[in-house]
Amino acid sequence: QVQLVESGGGLVQAGGSLRLSCAASGRTFSNYAMGWFRQAPGKEREFVAAISWNGKRTDYADSVKGRFTISRDNAKNTVYVQMNSLKPEDTAVYYCNAVNPLSWSTPVFGSWGQGTQVTVSS
């Protein structure tokens, strides 16, 4: 069983920045490509960003490309996302999960962490 604990969310003004963290335990973290997803009120959960197991490849949703940067520290079993130039439409609960190596927008684990709320005010 894997445990995923997201943190770092908060309230920020448009144009501001936040750095989210996801600490993983229970599995060999470095074996997995990891991703960030988000769910806004009344909407389905959507893919945000993903990173390969060794950190050498990344991918982003078009809506965040150029503003968000995903990274990981396998020694700390942690994946991060640096979010800059935040917009009100980035408001959502953000989650992390392992991602399918053949389809990075597809989460692997059926269970999710509690997520971390990001609210961007205009």
Side-chain angles (χ1 to χ4, degrees), residues 10-69:
L11 173 63
V12 64
Q13 289 187 333
S17 299
L18 284 173
R19 187 194 194 206
L20 307 184
S21 300
C22 168
S25 61
R27 294 276 181 103
T28 305
F29 175 77
S30 60
N31 286 350
Y32 295 94
M34 295 294 295
W36 283 94
F37 299 80
R38 67 186 182 187
Q39 187 167 20
K43 295 187 177 181
E44 293 188 354
R45 187 149 33 203
E46 64 176 2
F47 168 78
V48 174
I51 187 167
S52 62
W53 68 273
N54 59 4
K56 292 187 177 181
R57 291 192 300 123
T58 58
D59 190 27
Y60 299 90
D62 288 343
S63 58
V64 307
K65 203 168 290 185
R67 300 187 297 122
F68 289 15
T69 303

Side-chain angles (χ1 to χ4, degrees), residues 77-121:
N77 285 0
T78 302
V79 60
Y80 308 95
V81 61
Q82 176 68 42
M83 307 187 298
N84 299 329
S85 303
L86 283 162
K87 305 176 181 179
E89 51 263 44
D90 295 318
T91 295
V93 179
Y94 283 71
Y95 303 88
C96 66
N97 204 320
V99 296
N100 187 315
L102 300 179
S103 174
W104 277 11
S105 61
T106 303
V108 168
F109 302 133
S111 61
W112 296 82
Q114 84 289 349
T116 186
Q117 175 72 49
V118 171
T119 303
V120 184
S121 63

